[in-house]
Amino acid sequence: DRQKYIRNFSIIAHIDHGKSTLADRLIEKTGLLTQREMKDQILDSMDLERERGITIKLQTTRLVYKAVDGHEYMLNLIDTPGHVDFTYEVSRSLAACEGAVLVVDATQGVEAQTLANVHLADEQGLEIVPVLNKIDLPSARPEEIIEEIEEVVGILAEDAPRISARDGINIEDVLEKIVKSIPAPNGDEDAPLKALIFDSYYDSYKGAVAYVRIVEGSVKKGDKILMMAANKRFEVTEVGVFVPGTMPLDVLSAGDVGYITASIKNVIDCRVGDTITFASRPTAKALPGYKKATSMVFCGIYPAEGESYDEVRDALEKLQLNDAALSFEPETSVALGFGFRCGFLGLLHLEIIEQRLEREFDLDIIATAPSVIYRVTTTSDEVQMIQNPSNLPDPTEIQMFEEPIVEARIIVPNEYVGNIMELCQNRRGVMLHMDYLDPRRVILHYDMPLNEVIYDFFDAIKSKTRGYGSLDYEFKEYRESDLVKMDILLNKELIDAFSMIVHRTKAESRGRQICERLKDVIPRQMFMIPIQAAIGNKIIARESISALRKDVLAKCYGGDISRKKKLLEKQKEGKKRMRQFGNVEVPQQAFLSVLKFD
Ligand code: GTP
């Protein structure tokens, strides 16, 4: 039986516990690639990922492994992203698997994303194979961590391979475990085609390329297929597997993980989560797919001066193809013109999309202050979901103003508990309870307003715990809160793109902070520019940018020539990304800098 020798799995781990390193070692050990072909981190292929050192997009690869039992196995490794913002993508890849290798850093132990990922794997009914990594380090405590995994995660870990992914120690143990512990797929090969699209990308020659897990039946070139949710028909032009590049095959059958192309020109027709079946002999029922990703954070994205609206829309559509968590719809801003209101999983997701638009699509864009979705009940008992502060009804018409609350789990070493409690309190968190994970570490449960989490909360936890703290959160409920809309005025003109909804107790300090930031990033101009923060008509903070002295360059004469050069270069650089408001020029940087908390 063919499927007996297939294993479909993902590697799940808390960030930095060594998932990518282990993936590289597995690829190496299975000998599909030579040492020379091994780039540093094959699976982290996007530049951006390498720069940030995190895995964002899934990558899939097939490994051929000759096991101790003498049989040759096909191991399909599906990579998962490792950041708190991306649990949605994790569950996507897990849906294509029967098992998951859980990597735990033997010097660190169980972290917030370890728990979150195990939870997702459990939901999919996957077999979890724990692995202890970094045993080469003197501070590794594998025995203790095994106990911790058993107690906290609730799975047996006694025979977990103790490995060093970096040094390639005991990697075979992991491969053997995968073969022995993870069940083989067992879909009906003779049934009508039933395939899950778990990822996709756009290729300018082949059209949309669907990453698929064949659950039942088989598919080959020439087959007429139906995308069940999209209700669109296509003819298959190619099927194949990832090695990790694409390698065409004659046929993909039940249990296989690979790709399908079908000259799908419209990216919308190849939705991640959709089920592919035969057009003439459809399967009875589509696969459940997975929970729809809900955007938690919204912001406006506008073409910068000189960029085209259509190009931004095309780019967003392409990105959305394999990132269903990205949502967008057209909106207009008085200050910025035509653009899009976009929804993201979190602030990191937002930043990544922003950078991808700039790098992969070479677009200059302006992103407005991010916002969560508020719920407003008007005095006429109408309920409105507010994504954009500009759409807020007049304060006199608001009966109830509610904000989303998440339940956050924060794991920290004992000595940082005080720091974290202070941080959460400052961000309006309410502690639910606190438990000891082991003698050294604590897990704190907090109710937090999402509004306070999206601004750098994760970074704040990291910096207050010397990098040891970890965070995971999920939406809980809407709760009434004393919220107000704060506007920013530049030269007495309201810039709607800067408007935001804040808690009343935070308005003044936030307003002051933003005015100060803007003062720093908006270049001086020929006249004085007042910057004000206001709630309604009430000014709550102000700053001003003094007028530029005409002799700013003259001053450099006789002085340092490189300083002058720098100044001119800076001006040139600034020119590229300016936005004119009345007679004030605002650099794009200004829009970003108002987002950051301290
Ligand atoms: P994300 O891609 O961000 O989710 O992280 P990851 O879990 O893939 O971690 P990655 O493989 O990038 O490893 C994180 C860091 O740990 C890197 O600096 C690795 O070199 C290091 N590392 C991984 N495995 C080992 C190991 O066995 N021993 C030691 N000493 N370091 C390791």
Side-chain angles (χ1 to χ4, degrees):
D1 180 17
R2 203 183 53 91
Q3 289 183 67
K4 224 169 113 185
Y5 301 109
I6 299 177
R7 297 291 181 275
N8 297 315
F9 72 103
S10 281
I11 306 178
I12 53 178
H14 185 74
I15 222 157
D16 276 349
H17 281 202
K19 179 173 43 105
S20 308
T21 312
L22 175 60
D24 288 349
R25 284 298 93 75
L26 293 179
I27 292 171
E28 213 177 49
K29 274 281 184 293
T30 46
L32 265 190
L33 294 165
T34 63
Q35 199 78 30
R36 198 162 46 84
E37 286 172 310
M38 285 285 294
K39 290 235 184 68
D40 263 348
Q41 301 244 314
I42 284 173
L43 290 182
D44 284 11
S45 63
M46 284 184 1
D47 281 359
L48 209 65
E49 294 185 22
R50 192 154 321 163
E51 231 167 73
R52 287 171 166 261
I54 50 163
T55 316
I56 304 156
K57 289 301 315 158
L58 326 168
Q59 300 271 338
T60 294
T61 190
R62 180 163 95 162
L63 319 169
V64 181
Y65 173 61
K66 185 135 198 255
V68 175
D69 66 12
H71 290 291
E72 206 165 68
Y73 288 83
M74 289 294 176
L75 310 182
N76 292 310
L77 163 58
I78 296 157
D79 198 20
T80 57
H83 189 272
V84 56
D85 271 9
F86 297 103
T87 47
Y88 167 72
E89 293 207 345
V90 177
S91 57
R92 272 165 51 174
S93 46
L94 296 183
C97 302
E98 278 77 35
V101 172
L102 174 69
V103 179
V104 179
D105 184 329
T107 69
Q108 307 284 330
V110 173
E111 293 285 1
Q113 261 91 66
T114 315
L115 291 174
N117 284 325
V118 167
H119 181 68
L120 295 172
D122 261 347
E123 274 180 343
Q124 303 276 356
L126 303 192
E127 181 67 32
I128 297 170
V129 176
V131 166
L132 292 166
N133 191 28
K134 308 200 188 180
I135 53 146
D136 58 282
L137 293 175
S139 54
R141 327 169 255 132
E143 303 314 315
E144 265 174 66
I145 305 294
I146 282 171
E147 236 174 80
E148 185 173 294
I149 293 174
E150 297 198 335
E151 263 170 42
V152 182
V153 180
I155 55 171
L156 289 178
E158 220 168 64
D159 327 319
R162 288 117 163 110
I163 70 163
S164 167
R166 193 194 61 183
D167 299 348
I169 300 171
N170 293 337
I171 304 301
E172 298 258 334
D173 285 2
V174 181
L175 289 162
E176 283 298 315
K177 274 274 178 206
I178 290 168
V179 164
K180 289 206 188 99
S181 306
I182 297 178
N186 64 349
D188 182 352
E189 296 186 21
D190 302 320
L193 176 65
K194 186 183 256 191
L196 174 71
I197 307 179
F198 64 88
D199 199 4
S200 61
Y201 67 91
Y202 194 80
D203 180 293
S204 33
Y205 298 105
K206 297 177 181 172
V209 179
Y211 287 60
V212 292
R213 162 65 199 271
I214 312 291
V215 179
E216 288 175 2
S218 60
V219 62
K220 58 184 190 314
K221 184 176 167 177
D223 284 343
K224 307 270 194 310
I225 53 167
L226 166 71
M227 306 295 198
M228 295 182 82
N231 195 24
K232 289 277 169 68
R233 278 144 231 272
F234 298 95
E235 185 176 319
V236 175
T237 51
E238 187 178 310
V239 302
V241 293
F242 300 98
V243 288
T246 55
M247 181 174 89
L249 290 181
D250 292 338
V251 61
L252 287 180
S253 303
D256 282 338
V257 169
Y259 68 90
I260 295 179
T261 62
S263 303
I264 305 168
K265 289 290 168 247
N266 197 342
V267 296
I268 308 293
D269 297 333
C270 184
R271 280 269 169 192
V272 167
D274 202 351
T275 302
I276 304 180
T277 190
F278 286 139
S280 55
R281 195 165 66 108
T283 183
K285 216 170 140 236
L287 293 158
Y290 9 76
K291 255 189 265 170
K292 197 182 163 334
T294 34
S295 303
M296 304 267 258
V297 177
F298 289 80
C299 81
I301 287 191
Y302 290 84
E305 225 126 72
E307 292 286 1
S308 111
Y309 172 87
D310 290 336
E311 277 174 31
V312 174
R313 191 195 48 222
D314 282 357
L316 285 170
E317 272 175 9
K318 294 217 167 89
L319 288 176
Q320 196 180 41
L321 168 69
N322 60 8
D323 187 351
L326 168 69
S327 63
F328 65 93
E329 57 185 49
E331 80 167 0
T332 46
S333 148
V334 180
L336 299 171
F338 293 98
F340 302 91
R341 175 106 320 222
C342 302
F344 308 91
L345 297 170
L347 211 56
L348 177 68
H349 188 209
L350 185 163
E351 280 177 38
I352 285 165
I353 294 293
E354 220 178 298
Q355 292 186 16
R356 289 187 70 184
L357 286 170
E358 297 195 336
R359 293 195 199 171
E360 291 171 35
F361 297 90
D362 202 20
L363 292 167
D364 273 355
I365 51 139
I366 286 172
T368 65
S371 169
V372 300
I373 306 187
Y374 296 93
R375 187 158 75 186
V376 167
T377 311
T378 63
T379 43
S380 51
D381 285 332
E382 192 197 336
V383 176
Q384 297 181 8
M385 302 307 282
I386 305 289
Q387 295 175 11
N388 184 342
S390 305
N391 298 340
L392 204 62
D394 190 82
T396 58
E397 285 163 28
I398 297 177
Q399 185 191 135
M400 185 160 68
F401 205 157
E402 294 169 294
E403 66 178 331
I405 303 291
V406 296
E407 184 169 337
R409 288 170 293 272
I410 306 162
I411 297 183
V412 290
N414 288 344
E415 60 264 41
Y416 302 113
V417 166
N419 288 357
I420 292 301
M421 283 168 62
E422 192 189 334
L423 172 71
C424 293
Q425 182 139 11
N426 283 339
R427 300 215 177 193
R428 302 188 285 125
V430 176
M431 189 159 92
L432 303 173
H433 53 100
M434 173 172 129
D435 303 303
Y436 276 85
L437 277 185
D438 59 41
R440 301 185 219 181
R441 291 189 315 152
V442 168
I443 179 163
L444 295 149
H445 295 257
Y446 266 90
D447 275 356
M448 300 281 303
L450 180 59
N451 169 306
E452 302 280 347
V453 173
I454 61 171
Y455 295 103
D456 283 359
F457 185 54
F458 185 61
D459 292 341
I461 287 179
K462 284 279 170 205
S463 75
K464 293 207 182 283
T465 61
R466 292 171 176 249
Y468 287 114
S470 62
L471 163 75
D472 171 56
Y473 62 81
E474 61 198 352
F475 173 75
K476 189 168 181 178
E477 64 189 13
Y478 272 91
R479 242 181 240 172
E480 187 164 11
S481 183
D482 189 10
L483 301 161
V484 290
K485 173 166 169 255
M486 180 170 74
D487 297 316
I488 301 292
L489 296 91
L490 264 187
N491 209 15
K492 304 268 162 71
E493 202 184 323
L494 191 153
I495 311 293
D496 60 354
F498 283 141
S499 293
M500 59 175 68
I501 292 167
V502 289
H503 194 260
R504 194 181 300 275
T505 58
K506 294 289 183 72
E508 201 185 315
S509 61
R510 194 91 177 88
R512 204 173 320 117
Q513 197 182 34
I514 290 173
C515 290
E516 280 166 18
R517 295 259 167 92
L518 287 177
K519 183 183 171 190
D520 287 345
V521 293
I522 297 177
R524 292 160 71 189
Q525 292 168 42
M526 304 307 286
F527 46 89
M528 199 263 280
I529 308 166
I531 309 173
Q532 298 162 307
I535 298 174
N537 292 327
K538 192 172 159 237
I539 304 294
I540 55 169
R542 73 180 80 225
E543 286 286 340
S544 59
I545 303 170
S546 51
L548 188 65
R549 290 174 49 176
K550 294 207 177 69
D551 57 352
V552 66
L553 281 183
K555 257 167 67 177
C556 301
Y557 280 113
D560 183 356
I561 191 119
S562 71
R563 188 177 114 83
K564 182 180 157 196
K565 240 180 165 168
K566 239 192 210 152
L567 210 70
L568 287 170
E569 247 157 42
K570 237 178 165 173
Q571 268 179 7
K572 216 168 80 197
E573 178 66 18
K575 270 278 176 300
K576 280 199 302 216
R577 302 219 170 162
M578 290 292 190
R579 191 88 203 186
Q580 193 84 26
F581 291 114
N583 42 14
V584 181
E585 285 190 323
V586 179
Q588 178 174 26
Q589 181 54 31
F591 292 88
L592 286 179
S593 67
V594 300
L595 316 184
K596 306 278 178 195
F597 258 111
D598 286 315

